[in-house]
Amino acid sequence: PVSAETEWDTIKVFETTDIHGYSMDTSTYKEETFQYRLAYIANIVSQAREDEAYDDVLLLDGGDIYQGTPISNQTYGAALRATFDKMGYDAVGLGNHEFDWDVTKYAADSEGTMAPYEIGEFKGNADIPVVMSNLYYAGTDTRVDFTQDYTIVEKAGHKIAVIGWANDYRDEIKASQIEPYEIHDDIEELKKLAANIKSREKAEVVIILVHADPADIADKLDPNVVDLVAGGHTHKMING
């Protein structure tokens, strides 16, 4: 958004996705070649937050945060939730692998934020919104109570709406884990929701955070309403 005809506020946006527990990569079994992946990203984000070239920083994740490495699996994602808390994420999406364990215990809580974490005596509760607007209790039109449709984040004095969405990924989840829920992925409903939120919240920027191919979703949305679609799930390298 422009604050005047010739003056812009610059908000740096970072999105991670499909981390799958890889806060660090120890697959070489040689400590000198370990890759401290999230520490590396955290450093870049911290530098951007201190950089006068940016008026603010927005940090998002597209989902599939936990499942994949011993450091995450043995703590049921607590190590990753602690990391996200310390890094100061603004919002996260809900990937299909968040249902591998009890989604209401290890991924999100009744407030629609990331679940509490506990590693030995180290405890915390990240107040990071988990956004997914199209997850319902099966057989109903009732939204689940452990995700938020969207969150409003203020950056550099501007209101940014981050709306959560996912394609219907139920076939990629163990049947017993997804049985209580359904995903309504009618793109027309997303269009209506985005326009409604932009108007009602007077959001200057609208971002759709999807656990899906972002290009596919973006092509179907109104660019006069939606400014950015940030996605994942495809495991395709898009940038960086």
Side-chain angles (χ1 to χ4, degrees), residues 5-220:
E5 284 189 10
T6 57
E7 294 183 8
W8 289 77
D9 288 330
T10 303
I11 299 170
K12 180 77 171 178
V13 180
F14 292 95
E15 188 224 359
T16 55
T17 189
D18 297 88
I19 289 175
H20 286 286
Y22 279 89
S23 59
M24 58 188 292
D25 184 356
T26 61
S27 58
T28 63
Y29 299 104
K30 298 178 181 178
E31 189 171 353
E32 62 271 19
T33 58
F34 287 175
Q35 296 180 25
Y36 296 89
R37 294 182 173 187
L38 278 179
Y40 173 79
I41 294 170
N43 184 51
I44 292 174
V45 174
S46 293
Q47 289 178 350
R49 285 170 173 158
E50 296 171 1
D51 193 334
E52 293 183 358
Y54 309 120
D55 295 283
D56 221 328
V57 169
L58 181 68
L59 179 59
L60 308 170
D61 185 89
D64 279 4
I65 299 167
Y66 309 111
Q67 178 68 269
T69 65
I71 193 172
S72 181
N73 289 19
Q74 290 182 5
T75 63
Y76 287 97
L80 274 295
R81 292 193 295 280
T83 301
F84 274 45
D85 190 12
K86 297 303 178 185
M87 288 175 66
Y89 273 78
D90 293 294
V92 301
L94 196 70
N96 52 297
H97 283 288
E98 266 68 81
F99 291 86
D100 288 351
W101 309 317
D102 184 343
V103 65
T104 65
K105 183 177 181 181
Y106 299 111
D109 58 26
S110 61
E111 297 177 352
T113 62
M114 292 185 85
Y117 54 87
E118 182 174 343
I119 308 171
E121 296 181 356
F122 184 64
K123 300 178 182 179
N125 190 0
D127 190 27
I128 300 170
V130 178
V131 292
M132 183 174 176
S133 63
N134 58 326
L135 183 63
Y136 292 77
Y137 290 110
T140 76
D141 290 322
T142 304
R143 282 275 293 107
V144 301
D145 59 3
F146 54 86
T147 68
Q148 302 180 44
D149 288 355
Y150 68 99
T151 187
I152 298 294
V153 181
E154 186 169 308
K155 297 290 179 179
H158 301 284
K159 293 180 73 173
I160 301 175
V162 181
I163 304 171
W165 179 263
N167 285 342
D168 189 351
Y169 49 47
R170 286 177 298 176
D171 290 344
E172 301 175 51
I173 302 171
K174 185 178 178 181
S176 60
Q177 296 292 80
I178 194 62
E179 184 179 12
Y181 314 110
E182 359 182 275
I183 299 168
H184 301 178
D185 62 353
D186 183 350
I187 200 71
E188 295 302 318
E189 292 301 313
L190 178 59
K191 290 179 182 179
K192 292 177 185 176
L193 179 65
N196 182 274
I197 291 171
K198 183 180 180 70
S199 173
R200 185 177 70 242
E201 298 286 358
K202 296 181 172 54
E204 297 168 78
V205 177
V206 174
I207 296 174
I208 312 296
L209 184 59
V210 302
H211 194 70
D213 184 341
D216 180 60
I217 302 296
D219 287 342
K220 300 172 183 176

